[in-house]
Amino acid sequence: MRVTHRQDPSKPARVSAAPLEVTATGLGPWPGEDPVEAARIIRGELGSPHLPFLAELPDRGVGSDALGRTASLLVEMAVDVQPYGWRLVDRPGKDFRRAASALSTDINVLADVAGAEDTAAAEIKVQLLGPLSLAAGLHLHNGERSLIDYGARRDVAASLAAGVGSHLSRVSSAVPGARLVVQLDEPDIAAVLAGTIPTSSGYRTLRAVGGQEVTESWRLVIDALRAAGAAEIAVSVPEIEAPFDRILAAGADGIAVPLKALTSRQWEQLAGAVEAGKRLWAGTLDVGTSTLPKVADAVDSVWRPWHQLGLPASSLSTVRITPSAGLAGHTPSTATAALNRLTQVADGLNQRAQG
């Protein structure tokens, strides 16, 4: 576990620049129900220069999942839970309040744990469900997904954009001076673009959402995050049919994607993004197996295509190393070991970068 040092409260808070080296972070989901334990482990393992994150604890139940957590930030929109999932409603109910309360608790815990550290981490990351996956997961009064209706999609994106400012302000107050990093998760984006998400009846699928609308929805939320103080924003997508061009057109600073099944063409797209000054959040550590990959193998999964594409070793400093997926399905000890392995992989890549 990495040890930090207590910050002198008499010194003014400051927002640091992004680290000029390979760093490690997690994707957000974490096992268990104890936010204090989660915060201590994450901030202990991901000490400077790495990127600690505000844990999501879906094991706590309704409201602590990514969908309910993000929905609790919506402005002038409320949600509750029905047998078929989260539904947009006219006024907040117990499920909405439960989600908001859990998130508030997590931020308060972050403030307590960070305040007791010897030196506060230079950065902190939060995760939000992106507007398209959010619209795919929220249902209208009639039970159909809000993704079915252009007006509903637009309203969900606008409501999320309106709510992120207050959220980032609270996180910033919990960790004064930390550089704010936001991970915008779009796990359903391939299905949204392909028109393969089923209707509520299951007998047909929802019409595909146009690529330009996807870009505009992301840009709306990204611009709001930027205005709220986010210094770095990455959009996280699965590797299958990943719309890298749309992510870049929306103004994101980085792309987060698992590496295992990337094609040569996708690697070429990522290389172009790196050359354009964007960051790659590389899902290097496969956590879908019973044992963690060896450090050397994980390092090679980044370095080999990097070198083959002619990218300079020095540009590895744009990389953040992540797991291939969230860690909520693992035991706390396995999740902790995964964070430790991520920092080892980052160290290995930094050695490559230095020749």
Side-chain angles (χ1 to χ4, degrees):
M1 181 173 291
R2 294 171 183 259
V3 179
T4 55
H5 303 283
R6 180 160 300 171
Q7 182 181 23
D8 184 348
S10 66
K11 294 181 179 179
R14 63 181 180 84
V15 176
S16 63
L20 297 177
E21 57 187 302
V22 183
T23 55
T25 191
L27 292 177
W30 189 261
E33 302 179 21
D34 186 349
V36 176
E37 178 189 38
R40 287 175 175 165
I41 291 172
I42 290 166
R43 296 185 68 81
E45 294 295 334
L46 298 178
S48 184
H50 302 291
L51 177 59
F53 55 94
L54 183 64
E56 297 173 1
L57 302 172
D59 288 349
R60 289 187 297 191
V62 172
S64 291
D65 58 300
L67 181 59
R69 193 177 179 94
T70 303
S72 74
L73 303 178
L74 296 175
V75 172
E76 297 183 357
M77 279 185 156
V79 294
D80 69 6
V81 176
Q82 295 297 310
Y84 50 77
W86 288 92
R87 179 186 66 167
L88 291 166
V89 292
D90 295 329
R91 60 182 60 85
K94 62 180 178 62
D95 300 313
F96 184 96
R97 291 191 293 269
R98 181 177 179 180
S101 175
L103 181 55
S104 180
T105 295
D106 291 348
I107 294 173
N108 290 337
V109 165
L110 174 66
D112 292 342
V113 173
E117 292 173 347
D118 293 340
T119 297
E123 301 182 293
I124 181 68
K125 177 173 71 70
V126 297
Q127 306 78 223
L128 300 173
L129 200 60
L132 281 309
S133 296
L134 186 59
L138 295 176
H139 296 260
L140 302 172
H141 288 276
N142 62 6
E144 194 53 84
R145 297 175 189 272
S146 58
L147 189 72
I148 197 172
D149 180 76
Y150 170 75
R153 296 194 300 266
R154 179 192 59 201
D155 290 347
V156 166
S159 180
L160 178 60
V164 296
S166 175
H167 178 53
L168 289 195
S169 177
R170 293 165 62 200
V171 173
S172 182
S173 296
V175 280
R179 182 175 182 270
L180 294 178
V181 179
V182 179
Q183 173 189 317
L184 206 58
D185 291 325
E186 286 285 8
D188 298 321
I189 193 59
V192 168
L193 286 165
T196 58
I197 292 180
T199 59
S200 58
S201 67
Y203 292 117
R204 60 188 180 90
T205 58
L206 300 180
R207 181 178 299 175
V209 176
Q212 187 57 37
E213 183 185 336
V214 168
T215 299
E216 291 170 356
S217 294
W218 283 344
R219 184 182 293 122
L220 179 66
V221 176
I222 287 170
D223 287 350
L225 289 166
R226 195 94 62 199
E232 180 182 337
I233 302 157
V235 178
S236 175
V237 293
E239 68 272 29
I240 305 302
E241 300 297 329
F244 297 153
D245 55 340
R246 294 292 172 190
I247 294 173
L248 300 178
D253 301 298
I255 295 170
V257 64
L259 298 188
K260 188 174 182 180
L262 287 182
T263 64
S264 297
R265 180 177 175 274
Q266 286 178 310
W267 265 109
E268 290 170 359
Q269 289 179 297
L270 291 173
V274 169
E275 290 173 336
K278 302 299 183 179
R279 297 191 72 117
L280 171 60
W281 293 30
T284 306
L285 200 71
D286 185 1
V287 293
T289 59
S290 58
T291 58
L292 293 174
K294 296 178 180 178
V295 173
D297 292 341
V299 168
D300 191 55
S301 72
V302 178
W303 173 247
R304 187 179 63 257
W306 201 270
H307 181 66
Q308 290 173 345
L309 287 164
L311 290 168
S314 60
S315 65
L316 283 168
S317 62
T318 63
V319 173
R320 291 193 189 277
I321 300 299
T322 78
S324 60
L327 298 170
H330 298 268
T331 64
S333 60
T334 299
T336 302
L339 294 189
N340 182 262
R341 185 63 52 87
L342 288 170
T343 62
Q344 293 173 339
V345 174
D347 289 343
L349 284 168
N350 278 319
Q351 292 175 18
R352 291 279 191 176
Q354 294 163 9

